Amino acid sequence: MKEPFKRLDDAQQYHILTTAMAEFSKHGYKQASTNRIVKAAGISKGMLYYYFDSKHSLYLSAAQYAYDHFTVHLLDQVRLQEEGFIERLARLSRVKHKYFMQHPEVSQFVTHMFYATEMLEDYQQALQALRESNLDAMYEKVDMGLFRPDIDRETMMKMIRWTFDGYIREMEQHFEAEGIDFEQIDAYFDRFEGYLGTMRKLYYKEAVQ
């Protein structure tokens, strides 16, 4: 991005970059149209190139912005608290879904970057850093001493992740069929508390059940 774009206020930067993210997520880098981006963003084509050297530059700027936004607003929050692995995944899932609902364009673009087959070579290093940040957030300050000692720890962690992934998929299918509202999300996670208690009994030492 060029200096004129950096001088824009945060709201303007967010609007332009998330508009570009939505286009890239929907059509991919090659098929994305800068004409559609400027129309949706409410700016001229000349202004777009006043802010960015090229479509390539716009994509990389959007990627870096998404990476920074995702890390600061989501992953950095998760790392702050000491807790068990089950509690960490529960909190990470809740925080992620709240973030995804509040910032859908950023969330969809992050997902696009993870799975895009036309990944730009320039972005691969940042993408790897994002993957590592996800893993760091999952394990940092987690109290592994809560696990029962008679079952392999990696096996327990894998089974816990499978349980969470299955529940999240069920929740997403429900929202896809019924529509999304924030009260439903909170209620769905509240119902999951019962499953968390069962997982603690299965995977934690008796002393913490």
Side-chain angles (χ1 to χ4, degrees), residues 31-32 42 45 49 61 69 75 92 100-101 105 109 112 116 161-162 173-174 183 187:
Q31 299 302 319
K45 193 73 166 288
Y49 288 110
S61 297
H69 197 277
L75 298 181
L92 182 60
F100 286 1
M101 296 304 105
E105 298 90 354
F109 187 62
H112 153 77
R161 287 196 297 267
W162 286 345
Q173 289 170 1
H174 172 79
E183 292 181 3

Side-chain angles (χ1 to χ4, degrees), residues 171-205:
M171 185 171 68
E172 290 171 346
Q173 289 170 1
H174 172 79
F175 290 147
E176 185 177 348
E178 304 292 333
I180 298 173
D181 70 56
F182 287 97
E183 292 181 3
Q184 277 188 307
I185 292 174
D186 290 338
Y188 224 76
F189 275 112
D190 288 342
R191 288 197 291 273
F192 194 51
E193 291 298 322
Y195 295 106
L196 297 181
T198 300
M199 284 193 286
R200 291 185 186 102
K201 291 179 181 179
L202 289 172
Y203 302 115
Y204 282 176
K205 297 174 183 176

Side-chain angles (χ1 to χ4, degrees), residues 2-89:
K2 299 180 182 179
E3 284 301 320
F5 183 79
K6 295 178 182 179
R7 290 197 293 268
L8 296 177
D9 63 41
D10 291 345
Q12 289 176 299
Q13 290 187 20
Y14 182 89
H15 173 64
I16 293 171
L17 288 175
T18 54
T19 299
M21 289 178 201
E23 176 70 14
F24 288 127
S25 299
K26 183 175 182 180
H27 299 284
Y29 174 74
K30 292 181 180 178
Q31 299 302 319
S33 166
T34 54
N35 289 328
R36 286 193 295 261
I37 291 173
V38 297
K39 182 177 180 180
I43 61 176
S44 68
K45 193 73 166 288
M47 188 61 68
L48 181 69
Y49 288 110
Y50 180 63
Y51 294 146
F52 304 95
D53 288 319
S54 62
K55 181 174 140 180
H56 177 268
S57 172
L58 174 60
Y59 185 93
L60 292 180
S61 297
Q64 187 62 52
Y65 185 93
Y67 166 79
D68 292 339
H69 197 277
F70 190 81
T71 301
V72 170
H73 290 82
L74 195 155
L75 298 181
D76 285 352
Q77 295 181 38
V78 174
R79 296 188 177 103
L80 297 177
Q81 188 170 323
E82 294 186 12
E83 57 202 338
F85 186 68
I86 293 172
E87 291 71 28
R88 171 59 55 84
L89 287 192

